[in-house]
Amino acid sequence: MMIPVDTLLAWGATYKKAAPDETIFREGNECHFYYQLVSGSIKWVNITDDGREFIQNMMEPGESFGELPLFDDKPYAATAIANKESVILRLHKNTFRQLLREDPDIHFRFSRMMAERMRFKFLLLRELACSDPEHRITSLFTYFKETRRYICQACNKVNLTRQQIADMTGLRVETVIRAIKSLQHKGSLVIDRGKVYC
């Protein structure tokens, strides 16, 4: 949990429900709130002129999203969309900044989280420069296993759809399907009843 729910509520945060496919905020819009996911799932995407999504991140309960404008006063760098019915806590931007000033521990957690997300971006940029789809997917799964994201720690099941993997790696979904089947034949992963396991 980025910031305890009780702390957010004590500082005046309010709950907001989001329906599946509802846009929370759009790339280029002005920021007014800090957002933290309570339940559900949010994808943070850039949308190309032809409508194709590039997933920047998938948010899980307890995680915050859309933080950059809270620090640099610029517009949102991506669009946030609910993957499924979700509940979000939102705190006014100025109140959030005051909370950071008064609680250095929370401020430090934010700095650490931003550094981790930057590392992920460096990984994606490096892998996007690689033309081999299998290498892109293998590197992505390795990173997720190391960071304990999107992969079940008990059974190693990948908790992403093939479309989401495509949207994260800049590949077409058909290419992801072929690459995953090839990785299965090489023994690098297992496919069981349509589910992918690392």
Side-chain angles (χ1 to χ4, degrees), residues 58-77:
M58 300 273 291
M59 312 324 295
E60 298 174 341
E63 293 184 313
S64 62
F65 56 97
E67 307 88 355
L68 291 178
L70 296 169
F71 294 96
D72 68 5
D73 291 319
K74 301 258 183 347
Y76 285 114

Side-chain angles (χ1 to χ4, degrees), residues 56-140:
Q56 295 292 344
N57 215 333
M58 300 273 291
M59 312 324 295
E60 298 174 341
E63 293 184 313
S64 62
F65 56 97
E67 307 88 355
L68 291 178
L70 296 169
F71 294 96
D72 68 5
D73 291 319
K74 301 258 183 347
Y76 285 114
T79 299
I81 303 170
N83 284 319
K84 56 186 175 182
E85 190 169 305
S86 301
V87 176
I88 301 158
L89 269 171
R90 62 184 193 174
L91 182 65
H92 194 274
K93 177 180 177 178
N94 293 334
T95 308
F96 169 77
R97 287 176 168 176
Q98 186 62 36
L99 170 60
L100 290 187
R101 280 188 210 89
E102 293 188 21
D103 194 326
D105 182 52
I106 290 175
H107 200 293
F108 178 75
R109 278 189 270 160
F110 261 91
S111 299
R112 183 177 180 86
M113 179 268 303
M114 298 290 266
E116 288 170 359
R117 289 189 182 167
M118 283 186 68
R119 278 194 186 280
F120 179 59
K121 292 299 152 204
F122 278 111
L123 169 79
L124 282 182
L125 287 172
R126 184 183 74 215
E127 294 310 318
L128 287 175
C130 173
S131 60
D132 180 35
E134 290 179 26
H135 180 76
R136 287 190 201 184
I137 292 167
T138 301
S139 295
L140 193 68

Side-chain angles (χ1 to χ4, degrees), residues 144-196:
F144 289 153
K145 280 184 83 167
E146 289 172 358
T147 59
R148 300 173 183 259
R149 290 184 56 87
Y150 313 124
I151 295 181
C152 175
Q153 296 304 301
C155 66
N156 287 331
K157 183 180 94 169
V158 177
N159 294 319
L160 294 169
T161 66
R162 285 153 179 82
Q163 183 65 59
Q164 290 168 332
I165 295 165
D167 292 344
M168 283 184 172
T169 57
L171 298 168
R172 295 177 50 83
V173 71
E174 297 83 2
T175 305
V176 169
I177 291 167
R178 280 193 303 273
I180 286 175
K181 284 182 182 176
S182 177
L183 288 167
Q184 178 191 25
H185 291 304
K186 292 176 180 176
S188 300
L189 50 80
V190 174
I191 300 174
D192 184 28
R193 287 176 258 180
K195 304 298 182 189
V196 178

